[in-house]
Amino acid sequence: DGIIDIVFSTTEDLAVEDSEKLNEEDKEEDEVDGKEKDTKNKPSHFYQQCIERIESELDCNLIKDSRTSYKDNEKNLSIVCLVSRAYGESSAGFWFSFHTHQKEKLLKVENGYLCLGCGSENSILIIPVKDIVQWLDKLGTTERKGRFYHHLRIKISNDKFVIITTKEYENISIHEYLI
């Protein structure tokens, strides 16, 4: 019993140390509406395939910069790649959080893109940050405990991808960004 207690205690200590090593950006990216994401259902099984397709589409060599951001210094290019599983039964919907630090990172380079993996590596949207920033005032937001982010709710409507906006605006067609 004593050995089991030591192993259990050591495992707990290591888990605490690992969780403390997460940087602030990663902590923000792990929250949706102030709640921790359900990592059990995280669609990471297709994340790397999305990165590979994005590299091919943009003809670049992406180097990981943080959990969700990658860069190619030679091409002055940076991406933030987010993935979502499909939500809803009658019509697919996808949910993403776009944080201020992600926007700022993309605006620092000549070629910044927000890349959204929608359900699989077969449905990726590559949206220039210059387009995204024009739409931000039309999106829902959350501000909690000094953190701020925009809600990107994407739906497939009439076989076209659209961003769902707040009530006073029309939805934004983004199908042209699909690769």
Side-chain angles (χ1 to χ4, degrees), residues 95-106:
W95 295 72
F96 305 91
S97 298
F98 186 51
H99 295 265
T100 302
H101 69 87
Q102 294 169 326
K103 176 185 75 170
E104 290 169 356
K105 185 175 284 201
L106 295 177

Side-chain angles (χ1 to χ4, degrees), residues 47 50-51 53-62 65 68-72 75-82 97-99 101-117 124-133 135 152 176-179:
Y47 191 85
C50 287
I51 297 300
R53 283 203 62 212
I54 294 163
E55 280 183 315
S56 176
E57 182 71 20
L58 297 177
D59 190 28
C60 63
N61 182 26
L62 296 171
D65 194 32
T68 61
S69 66
Y70 294 75
K71 62 184 176 180
D72 182 329
K75 296 198 174 199
N76 197 14
L77 180 145
S78 186
I79 70 158
V80 168
C81 182
L82 308 173
S97 298
F98 186 51
H99 295 265
H101 69 87
Q102 294 169 326
K103 176 185 75 170
E104 290 169 356
K105 185 175 284 201
L106 295 177
L107 288 171
K108 287 180 181 178
V109 295
E110 186 178 336
N111 302 296
Y113 298 94
L114 178 60
C115 302
L116 305 172
I124 303 171
L125 298 157
I126 300 179
I127 308 170
V129 70
K130 65 179 176 49
D131 292 344
I132 286 286
V133 296
W135 306 327
L152 282 168
E176 68 186 274
Y177 303 104
L178 183 67
I179 63 166

Side-chain angles (χ1 to χ4, degrees), residues 12 27 29 31 33 68 70 80 90 95 154 176:
E12 278 186 330
K27 286 180 185 176
E29 292 165 9
E31 292 184 6
D33 294 332
T68 61
Y70 294 75
V80 168
S90 60
W95 295 72
I154 295 175
E176 68 186 274

Side-chain angles (χ1 to χ4, degrees), residues 9-28:
S9 175
T10 303
T11 303
E12 278 186 330
D13 290 345
L14 289 173
V16 168
E17 285 177 26
D18 285 347
S19 69
E20 290 172 353
K21 289 179 184 175
L22 286 175
N23 64 35
E24 198 59 32
E25 287 181 10
D26 289 343
K27 286 180 185 176
E28 285 182 14

Side-chain angles (χ1 to χ4, degrees), residues 128-144:
V129 70
K130 65 179 176 49
D131 292 344
I132 286 286
V133 296
Q134 294 177 49
W135 306 327
L136 292 179
D137 62 342
K138 299 175 182 174
L139 306 178
T141 61
T142 293
E143 186 169 3
R144 191 174 284 134

